[in-house]
Amino acid sequence: MTPASGPILSETAAALCLMFIFLVPFAGAGLALINTGLGRARSAAHLMMSSLCAVSIAAVVFFVWGFTWQGFQGGPAHILNLGGKGWDWVGAQPLFLRHVALDGSPASLAALLGMMSVGLAALIPLGGGADRWRLSATCLSTALLAGITYPIFAHWVWGGGWLAQLGENYGLGRGFVDAGGSGTIQVVGGLTALSIAWILGPRRGKYTHDGMPTAIPGHNSSFVVLGCMLAMVGWWGLNSAGAVLFTGAGPGEAVLVAINTTLCAAASALMAAVITGVRFGKPDVSLTANGWIGGLAASSAACVFVRPPEAAAIGMVAGALVTLSVEWFELRMSVDDPGGAISAHAMGGLWGVLAVGVIARVPPVGVNATGEAPGQWLAQVIGIATLIGFVLPLTYGLNWLLNRLRPQRVALEGERQGMDLHELGAGAYPEFMTHGDDFSPR
Amino acid sequence: MKFLGFLLLLAGWGIVLTAIVLLAADAPRVAFVLAGIGVEILGLVLVIRAHPAPRGEHE
């Protein structure tokens, strides 16, 4: 029932890790601003309110139930014996964080980082469902994400679960490695955003009679760029805390992590700016911002296992991938994703997870271990197969059931009027009439 | 078609898990893991095709 022992942190490492975790909410603030800026003016207050509610619900559900299933490495868990190997499937912590010494121990730091991370994951689907996702449905969907989808996958990766054990059990590198949550946070959130976008359908007016998409530009690009800057601060903390807590990196390696994170985001944003500049004649702000976030999402998994030039290369690929996939989702798949959440978080995150296997040099576990662990790429591919083959059906199924019980999309009248007036009774900009049809009396 | 697509996604993941548990040699394990991912891609294509392009919603 109790797997191998967990990490041991010095007091300095624990204190620095705590400081890094305190930075993570900046990433949440950044994502909230980006989602709001890329949405319509008449839904701005609603999106910010939804962000606050999603973070709140995620924290409470994770405290009550989520950490029970996520657990931590070395903590109690349900283990199945398959083929003579112990497969750690799900955590078995008591409810309400009981029996976790909240004193700077690795378990308590994992619980705090989990609480912040699940809030971040819960903000990602808001970008995919912007301008049409009801507030109450957002809260219920977030509860499912924080109570079921996120904790299960987080346990497999960060809680000593079967994906993390692939190295120990089957000689596949160091097992699935995801230092800062490219898969655990970004892809899980991004796939939930895809599910939500599919279930809700596109915004009215997004597609013409012949199925061609129309441009519905974001209402405030200043919010979007400010959000990008704030997100970077949060990602420094997220990647550094994850590296220390889940990969055994020393606190001093946070410098490398921060440099890699910055370079990855910068290279990704520049690549997106160049691609859009070449294709459309002028660089596009929203796609460049999506490139920035995609670079951050891609940076997380390998942040402590690559040198700066390799981090920049990961970012360049992420920037190209995100820019092209935004167009692909909108044109080819008819998925209306106002915030670009699916491309930036799911596609960027998947590339980040894969990059650990194809670019990074992950050393084997052990004090004196040197060189590179063989089979790492296969462990990463198995992680990707799990995200697509298990997490996507799970999150889609849960949200589909929720939609059957209580429709998640706002009524037609609400979409015309704007989410702010319809659901909150007041707009974000009551003294401004930014568009002719905003805040129109009904 | 949507249900079948999600079923294929799960089936592909099942093939990947089975390959890890049952196959010890590197080459067959890699081949079956990749085959599982192939099944997942097939499922993904079906799920995508089950969400057709919306038409006639322009205001």
Side-chain angles (χ1 to χ4, degrees):
Chain A
M1 195 70 171
T2 303
S5 63
I8 297 167
L9 296 181
S10 67
E11 276 193 9
T12 310
L16 277 170
C17 191
L18 190 59
M19 292 297 119
F20 296 145
I21 296 171
F22 286 162
L23 293 177
V24 176
F26 281 106
L31 291 190
L33 279 174
I34 292 168
N35 287 338
T36 302
L38 290 175
R40 284 172 159 158
R42 55 188 168 188
S43 303
H46 183 269
L47 240 167
M48 289 305 273
M49 176 72 169
S50 297
S51 302
L52 196 59
C53 288
V55 171
S56 307
I57 295 271
V60 171
V61 171
F62 189 79
F63 163 70
V64 173
W65 174 259
F67 192 68
T68 302
W69 275 3
Q70 178 183 322
F72 57 96
Q73 196 178 357
H78 296 292
I79 298 173
L80 281 178
N81 197 309
L82 290 175
K85 311 278 188 186
W87 279 54
D88 188 336
W89 280 103
V90 71
Q93 284 287 126
L95 298 172
F96 300 102
L97 296 183
R98 280 181 296 125
H99 301 173
V100 176
L102 302 176
D103 57 358
S105 63
S108 66
L109 291 170
L112 180 61
L113 181 59
M115 196 176 274
M116 301 294 139
S117 302
V118 77
L120 198 56
L123 288 171
I124 296 169
L126 295 177
D131 297 334
R132 60 207 191 283
W133 199 11
R134 292 166 56 230
L135 182 61
S136 57
T138 304
C139 293
L140 291 171
S141 175
T142 299
L144 295 174
L145 177 73
I148 300 173
T149 317
Y150 173 87
I152 291 176
F153 193 76
H155 177 75
W156 292 351
V157 180
W158 288 343
W162 69 271
L163 277 172
Q165 292 174 319
L166 286 175
E168 180 190 326
N169 282 348
Y170 299 99
L172 299 180
R174 190 173 167 146
F176 182 74
V177 168
D178 183 10
S182 285
T184 314
I185 302 170
Q186 310 305 327
V187 182
V188 168
L191 292 177
T192 304
L194 174 61
S195 304
I196 291 296
W198 266 335
I199 289 167
L200 295 178
R203 291 169 288 179
R204 285 192 68 79
K206 179 65 189 172
Y207 289 92
T208 60
H209 287 288
D210 54 0
M212 287 301 290
T214 57
I216 303 179
H219 86 282
N220 194 329
S221 53
S222 305
F223 274 10
V224 176
V225 177
L226 176 62
C228 287
M229 297 296 178
L230 282 175
M232 181 171 67
V233 179
W235 248 271
W236 287 337
L238 180 66
N239 288 353
S240 302
V244 171
L245 206 50
F246 303 126
T247 72
E253 289 182 87
V255 178
L256 173 69
V257 170
I259 288 173
N260 284 345
T261 306
T262 309
L263 274 177
C264 198
S268 182
L270 288 173
M271 181 58 96
V274 168
I275 290 176
T276 54
V278 168
R279 294 194 71 190
F280 310 132
K282 291 175 183 171
D284 184 273
V285 177
S286 64
L287 285 173
T288 304
N290 279 332
W292 177 271
I293 295 299
L296 288 173
S299 74
S300 295
C303 59
V304 74
F305 298 116
V306 290
R307 304 301 307 165
E310 293 161 342
I314 292 173
M316 287 171 76
V317 175
L321 185 69
V322 168
T323 309
L324 297 175
S325 83
V326 164
E327 195 176 309
W328 188 70
F329 274 108
E330 187 171 299
L331 274 175
R332 307 277 173 201
M333 287 178 60
S334 304
V335 171
D336 183 17
D337 175 15
I342 303 163
S343 300
H345 296 277
M347 300 304 284
L350 283 172
W351 161 237
V353 167
L354 185 64
V356 175
V358 297
I359 293 181
R361 286 176 303 278
V362 181
V365 181
V367 180
N368 297 317
T370 54
E372 198 173 337
Q376 187 63 50
W377 73 273
L378 190 57
Q380 299 305 118
V381 167
I382 291 168
I384 290 172
T386 303
L387 284 162
I388 305 292
F390 173 78
V391 172
L392 179 59
L394 176 66
T395 190
Y396 187 96
L398 290 172
N399 281 292
W400 179 82
L401 276 177
L402 187 61
N403 193 52
R404 298 284 288 186
L405 296 172
R406 187 177 165 81
Q408 299 207 40
R409 182 167 181 144
V410 72
L412 175 62
E413 181 63 19
E415 206 175 339
R416 281 197 179 136
Q417 191 177 35
M419 301 294 282
D420 286 359
L421 284 183
H422 186 73
E423 290 228 302
L424 303 179
Y429 314 103
E431 294 177 7
F432 296 93
M433 296 288 277
T434 52
H435 295 290
D437 63 339
D438 279 351
F439 309 117
S440 56
R442 299 287 170 184
Chain B
M1 194 154 73
K2 192 194 302 178
F3 179 74
L4 184 65
F6 281 116
L7 209 60
L8 280 176
L9 283 174
L10 287 168
W13 183 57
I15 292 171
V16 171
L17 291 188
T18 310
I20 304 168
V21 176
L22 296 182
L23 302 172
D26 278 349
R29 180 187 280 168
V30 169
F32 270 77
V33 167
L34 294 180
I37 290 173
V39 173
E40 285 188 9
I41 290 171
L42 198 62
L44 208 50
V45 169
L46 283 185
V47 172
I48 290 168
R49 289 174 67 96
H51 291 90
R55 287 170 194 274
E57 291 192 71
H58 194 59
E59 288 179 329

